[in-house]
Amino acid sequence: MIRKDRSWKPGFGHVGLTHLHKELKICPDITKSSELKITNSSDKRNYCSFISVPILTYNESNSDNECLGVLVLTSAQPEQFSLERDKDFLQNIASLIAVYLDVAIEIYTNHENNQNKN
């Protein structure tokens, strides 16, 4: 992924940590966070609370599923997300995205294989 004017390295920040750890991350108010800091003044106006959910592949025979990406919701206001209210819904959305990506990749791969045969 190309860095977009961020001071942290890949695997850091709430999206990077979610991707790296393959687990949901939530921050009610980033201004009170000990592990996450925002230094960019425009980001301070736009990002106060967030919830990030990994989009994981599913393979019954493999417990170490690949993280395909991260579903991220942010708010300029604090306390906008709740694990109790949002976790199950967002994890279901992330699972649906993973199924869609799996099907799309399979269709693309089959199409490419057919093109190479011709």
Side-chain angles (χ1 to χ4, degrees):
M1 188 180 303
I2 298 171
R3 189 176 143 218
K4 303 235 175 161
D5 198 29
R6 301 294 186 216
S7 59
W8 54 83
K9 297 176 185 174
F12 292 89
H14 67 92
V15 174
L17 290 170
T18 299
H19 191 278
L20 184 67
H21 297 147
K22 300 179 188 176
E23 63 185 28
L24 183 145
K25 301 286 184 187
I26 188 168
C27 183
D29 187 347
I30 202 162
T31 64
K32 297 176 182 174
S33 174
S34 61
E35 63 179 354
L36 300 170
K37 298 289 181 206
I38 289 186
T39 56
N40 185 317
S41 60
S42 67
D43 283 354
K44 286 181 182 181
R45 288 189 302 275
N46 297 315
Y47 305 110
C48 186
S49 58
F50 69 81
I51 188 167
S52 301
V53 184
I55 300 169
L56 301 173
T57 58
Y58 177 75
N59 184 346
E60 280 186 52
S61 63
N62 184 356
S63 62
D64 189 31
N65 296 314
E66 180 185 356
C67 186
L68 302 171
V70 178
L71 174 63
V72 182
L73 281 72
T74 63
S75 175
Q77 301 298 314
E79 308 289 337
Q80 293 300 300
F81 306 105
S82 160
L83 279 179
E84 191 174 288
R85 182 191 66 216
D86 302 323
K87 179 182 177 182
D88 290 339
F89 173 74
L90 293 174
Q91 286 180 322
N92 285 330
I93 296 296
S95 294
L96 290 171
I97 293 169
V99 168
Y100 172 79
L101 290 172
D102 185 50
V103 170
I105 290 167
E106 184 176 334
I107 290 170
Y108 176 79
T109 302
N110 289 337
H111 176 73
E112 288 296 307
N113 288 341
N114 289 335
Q115 291 290 347
N116 289 337
K117 288 180 185 176
N118 294 333

